mmCIF file of all heavy atoms in Angstrom:
data_model
loop_
_atom_site.group_PDB
_atom_site.id
_atom_site.type_symbol
_atom_site.label_atom_id
_atom_site.label_comp_id
_atom_site.label_asym_id
_atom_site.label_seq_id
_atom_site.Cartn_x
_atom_site.Cartn_y
_atom_site.Cartn_z
ATOM 1 N N THR A 282 19.664 -13.321 -6.504
ATOM 2 C CA THR A 282 19.264 -14.715 -6.645
ATOM 3 C C THR A 282 17.781 -14.812 -6.979
ATOM 4 O O THR A 282 17.371 -15.585 -7.856
ATOM 5 C CB THR A 282 19.564 -15.486 -5.352
ATOM 6 O OG1 THR A 282 20.959 -15.358 -5.037
ATOM 7 C CG2 THR A 282 19.241 -16.966 -5.514
ATOM 8 N N TYR A 283 16.969 -13.992 -6.308
ATOM 9 C CA TYR A 283 15.531 -13.988 -6.552
ATOM 10 C C TYR A 283 15.073 -12.576 -6.901
ATOM 11 O O TYR A 283 15.526 -11.597 -6.294
ATOM 12 C CB TYR A 283 14.751 -14.467 -5.318
ATOM 13 C CG TYR A 283 15.127 -15.846 -4.852
ATOM 14 C CD1 TYR A 283 16.008 -16.024 -3.784
ATOM 15 C CD2 TYR A 283 14.610 -16.983 -5.471
ATOM 16 C CE1 TYR A 283 16.359 -17.294 -3.343
ATOM 17 C CE2 TYR A 283 14.953 -18.252 -5.041
ATOM 18 C CZ TYR A 283 15.826 -18.405 -3.973
ATOM 19 O OH TYR A 283 16.175 -19.655 -3.562
ATOM 20 N N SER A 284 14.176 -12.468 -7.846
ATOM 21 C CA SER A 284 13.574 -11.178 -8.180
ATOM 22 C C SER A 284 12.244 -11.431 -8.871
ATOM 23 O O SER A 284 11.989 -12.521 -9.393
ATOM 24 C CB SER A 284 14.496 -10.341 -9.082
ATOM 25 O OG SER A 284 14.707 -10.987 -10.324
ATOM 26 N N GLY A 285 11.389 -10.418 -8.856
ATOM 27 C CA GLY A 285 10.097 -10.588 -9.491
ATOM 28 C C GLY A 285 9.297 -9.309 -9.483
ATOM 29 O O GLY A 285 9.688 -8.308 -8.869
ATOM 30 N N ASN A 286 8.179 -9.322 -10.172
ATOM 31 C CA ASN A 286 7.287 -8.171 -10.172
ATOM 32 C C ASN A 286 5.868 -8.641 -10.429
ATOM 33 O O ASN A 286 5.631 -9.692 -11.031
ATOM 34 C CB ASN A 286 7.718 -7.130 -11.216
ATOM 35 C CG ASN A 286 7.562 -7.643 -12.627
ATOM 36 O OD1 ASN A 286 6.466 -7.636 -13.189
ATOM 37 N ND2 ASN A 286 8.656 -8.111 -13.221
ATOM 38 N N LEU A 287 4.916 -7.848 -9.941
ATOM 39 C CA LEU A 287 3.512 -8.134 -10.129
ATOM 40 C C LEU A 287 2.777 -6.824 -10.335
ATOM 41 O O LEU A 287 2.981 -5.850 -9.592
ATOM 42 C CB LEU A 287 2.935 -8.861 -8.911
ATOM 43 C CG LEU A 287 1.436 -9.195 -8.965
ATOM 44 C CD1 LEU A 287 1.149 -10.184 -10.090
ATOM 45 C CD2 LEU A 287 0.960 -9.752 -7.633
ATOM 46 N N TRP A 288 1.942 -6.765 -11.375
ATOM 47 C CA TRP A 288 1.183 -5.552 -11.682
ATOM 48 C C TRP A 288 -0.246 -5.937 -12.038
ATOM 49 O O TRP A 288 -0.474 -6.929 -12.747
ATOM 50 C CB TRP A 288 1.803 -4.795 -12.852
ATOM 51 C CG TRP A 288 1.001 -3.599 -13.267
ATOM 52 C CD1 TRP A 288 0.051 -3.538 -14.257
ATOM 53 C CD2 TRP A 288 1.048 -2.311 -12.677
ATOM 54 N NE1 TRP A 288 -0.489 -2.285 -14.318
ATOM 55 C CE2 TRP A 288 0.104 -1.502 -13.356
ATOM 56 C CE3 TRP A 288 1.782 -1.753 -11.643
ATOM 57 C CZ2 TRP A 288 -0.120 -0.176 -13.034
ATOM 58 C CZ3 TRP A 288 1.575 -0.434 -11.314
ATOM 59 C CH2 TRP A 288 0.640 0.346 -12.016
ATOM 60 N N THR A 289 -1.210 -5.172 -11.532
ATOM 61 C CA THR A 289 -2.605 -5.417 -11.870
ATOM 62 C C THR A 289 -3.345 -4.094 -12.003
ATOM 63 O O THR A 289 -3.007 -3.111 -11.331
ATOM 64 C CB THR A 289 -3.295 -6.294 -10.807
ATOM 65 O OG1 THR A 289 -4.649 -6.568 -11.209
ATOM 66 C CG2 THR A 289 -3.315 -5.606 -9.443
ATOM 67 N N SER A 290 -4.299 -4.049 -12.895
ATOM 68 C CA SER A 290 -5.130 -2.859 -13.062
ATOM 69 C C SER A 290 -6.563 -3.294 -13.345
ATOM 70 O O SER A 290 -6.800 -4.371 -13.907
ATOM 71 C CB SER A 290 -4.607 -1.971 -14.196
ATOM 72 O OG SER A 290 -4.692 -2.644 -15.441
ATOM 73 N N TYR A 291 -7.497 -2.433 -12.949
ATOM 74 C CA TYR A 291 -8.908 -2.761 -13.100
ATOM 75 C C TYR A 291 -9.661 -1.532 -13.592
ATOM 76 O O TYR A 291 -9.450 -0.417 -13.096
ATOM 77 C CB TYR A 291 -9.494 -3.227 -11.770
ATOM 78 C CG TYR A 291 -10.898 -3.769 -11.891
ATOM 79 C CD1 TYR A 291 -11.124 -5.081 -12.296
ATOM 80 C CD2 TYR A 291 -12.001 -2.965 -11.610
ATOM 81 C CE1 TYR A 291 -12.414 -5.581 -12.419
ATOM 82 C CE2 TYR A 291 -13.295 -3.458 -11.737
ATOM 83 C CZ TYR A 291 -13.497 -4.764 -12.144
ATOM 84 O OH TYR A 291 -14.773 -5.249 -12.282
ATOM 85 N N GLN A 292 -10.531 -1.732 -14.570
ATOM 86 C CA GLN A 292 -11.346 -0.645 -15.107
ATOM 87 C C GLN A 292 -12.742 -0.715 -14.510
ATOM 88 O O GLN A 292 -13.474 -1.692 -14.682
ATOM 89 C CB GLN A 292 -11.418 -0.728 -16.633
ATOM 90 C CG GLN A 292 -12.227 0.397 -17.259
ATOM 91 C CD GLN A 292 -12.127 0.406 -18.772
ATOM 92 O OE1 GLN A 292 -11.091 0.741 -19.332
ATOM 93 N NE2 GLN A 292 -13.213 0.030 -19.438
ATOM 94 N N LEU A 293 -13.118 0.361 -13.797
ATOM 95 C CA LEU A 293 -14.421 0.434 -13.155
ATOM 96 C C LEU A 293 -15.513 0.742 -14.177
ATOM 97 O O LEU A 293 -15.224 1.158 -15.308
ATOM 98 C CB LEU A 293 -14.390 1.510 -12.067
ATOM 99 C CG LEU A 293 -13.360 1.281 -10.946
ATOM 100 C CD1 LEU A 293 -13.301 2.501 -10.039
ATOM 101 C CD2 LEU A 293 -13.698 0.030 -10.156
ATOM 102 N N PRO A 294 -16.781 0.562 -13.794
ATOM 103 C CA PRO A 294 -17.873 0.832 -14.753
ATOM 104 C C PRO A 294 -17.888 2.259 -15.289
ATOM 105 O O PRO A 294 -18.357 2.492 -16.404
ATOM 106 C CB PRO A 294 -19.120 0.535 -13.911
ATOM 107 C CG PRO A 294 -18.670 -0.470 -12.908
ATOM 108 C CD PRO A 294 -17.270 -0.089 -12.567
ATOM 109 N N ASN A 295 -17.354 3.207 -14.504
ATOM 110 C CA ASN A 295 -17.318 4.604 -14.981
ATOM 111 C C ASN A 295 -16.079 4.897 -15.825
ATOM 112 O O ASN A 295 -15.735 6.052 -16.052
ATOM 113 C CB ASN A 295 -17.407 5.560 -13.809
ATOM 114 C CG ASN A 295 -16.205 5.438 -12.872
ATOM 115 O OD1 ASN A 295 -15.345 4.573 -13.073
ATOM 116 N ND2 ASN A 295 -16.154 6.269 -11.858
ATOM 117 N N GLN A 296 -15.360 3.855 -16.262
ATOM 118 C CA GLN A 296 -14.173 3.938 -17.120
ATOM 119 C C GLN A 296 -12.903 4.353 -16.382
ATOM 120 O O GLN A 296 -11.839 4.444 -16.986
ATOM 121 C CB GLN A 296 -14.397 4.910 -18.304
ATOM 122 C CG GLN A 296 -15.588 4.562 -19.179
ATOM 123 C CD GLN A 296 -15.467 3.178 -19.791
ATOM 124 O OE1 GLN A 296 -14.459 2.858 -20.411
ATOM 125 N NE2 GLN A 296 -16.483 2.341 -19.602
ATOM 126 N N LEU A 297 -13.011 4.623 -15.080
ATOM 127 C CA LEU A 297 -11.821 4.936 -14.293
ATOM 128 C C LEU A 297 -10.975 3.678 -14.128
ATOM 129 O O LEU A 297 -11.493 2.601 -13.795
ATOM 130 C CB LEU A 297 -12.216 5.473 -12.916
ATOM 131 C CG LEU A 297 -11.053 5.821 -11.969
ATOM 132 C CD1 LEU A 297 -10.314 7.050 -12.475
ATOM 133 C CD2 LEU A 297 -11.569 6.040 -10.551
ATOM 134 N N ILE A 298 -9.668 3.794 -14.376
ATOM 135 C CA ILE A 298 -8.740 2.670 -14.238
ATOM 136 C C ILE A 298 -7.860 2.909 -13.019
ATOM 137 O O ILE A 298 -7.249 3.975 -12.873
ATOM 138 C CB ILE A 298 -7.861 2.515 -15.490
ATOM 139 C CG1 ILE A 298 -8.720 2.196 -16.705
ATOM 140 C CG2 ILE A 298 -6.818 1.406 -15.278
ATOM 141 C CD1 ILE A 298 -7.933 2.126 -18.012
ATOM 142 N N ILE A 299 -7.818 1.932 -12.127
ATOM 143 C CA ILE A 299 -6.918 1.984 -10.986
ATOM 144 C C ILE A 299 -5.991 0.782 -11.061
ATOM 145 O O ILE A 299 -6.381 -0.296 -11.517
ATOM 146 C CB ILE A 299 -7.682 2.000 -9.651
ATOM 147 C CG1 ILE A 299 -8.590 0.772 -9.544
ATOM 148 C CG2 ILE A 299 -8.487 3.286 -9.499
ATOM 149 C CD1 ILE A 299 -9.270 0.639 -8.190
ATOM 150 N N GLY A 300 -4.758 0.990 -10.659
ATOM 151 C CA GLY A 300 -3.790 -0.098 -10.745
ATOM 152 C C GLY A 300 -2.691 0.039 -9.730
ATOM 153 O O GLY A 300 -2.480 1.104 -9.131
ATOM 154 N N GLY A 301 -1.991 -1.033 -9.523
ATOM 155 C CA GLY A 301 -0.869 -1.018 -8.586
ATOM 156 C C GLY A 301 -0.031 -2.266 -8.752
ATOM 157 O O GLY A 301 -0.465 -3.258 -9.363
ATOM 158 N N GLY A 302 1.170 -2.199 -8.235
ATOM 159 C CA GLY A 302 2.051 -3.351 -8.353
ATOM 160 C C GLY A 302 3.279 -3.215 -7.494
ATOM 161 O O GLY A 302 3.496 -2.184 -6.842
ATOM 162 N N SER A 303 4.069 -4.251 -7.495
ATOM 163 C CA SER A 303 5.282 -4.271 -6.686
ATOM 164 C C SER A 303 6.423 -4.892 -7.466
ATOM 165 O O SER A 303 6.218 -5.675 -8.395
ATOM 166 C CB SER A 303 5.053 -5.068 -5.391
ATOM 167 O OG SER A 303 4.725 -6.415 -5.704
ATOM 168 N N GLN A 304 7.633 -4.511 -7.091
ATOM 169 C CA GLN A 304 8.864 -5.085 -7.638
ATOM 170 C C GLN A 304 9.708 -5.571 -6.467
ATOM 171 O O GLN A 304 9.860 -4.857 -5.470
ATOM 172 C CB GLN A 304 9.653 -4.039 -8.429
ATOM 173 C CG GLN A 304 8.922 -3.470 -9.624
ATOM 174 C CD GLN A 304 9.640 -2.243 -10.161
ATOM 175 O OE1 GLN A 304 9.202 -1.117 -9.953
ATOM 176 N NE2 GLN A 304 10.755 -2.448 -10.842
ATOM 177 N N TYR A 305 10.255 -6.765 -6.610
ATOM 178 C CA TYR A 305 11.077 -7.339 -5.533
ATOM 179 C C TYR A 305 12.475 -7.617 -6.042
ATOM 180 O O TYR A 305 12.653 -8.229 -7.102
ATOM 181 C CB TYR A 305 10.455 -8.636 -5.005
ATOM 182 C CG TYR A 305 11.326 -9.340 -3.988
ATOM 183 C CD1 TYR A 305 11.545 -8.776 -2.732
ATOM 184 C CD2 TYR A 305 11.944 -10.541 -4.294
ATOM 185 C CE1 TYR A 305 12.352 -9.415 -1.800
ATOM 186 C CE2 TYR A 305 12.749 -11.195 -3.369
ATOM 187 C CZ TYR A 305 12.948 -10.627 -2.124
ATOM 188 O OH TYR A 305 13.757 -11.258 -1.212
#
């Protein structure tokens, strides 16, 4: 009946990218 997802990522000044998210 309900489902969804959320994802986000961020690039730091040293070009390192970290990200995470969830699925429901």
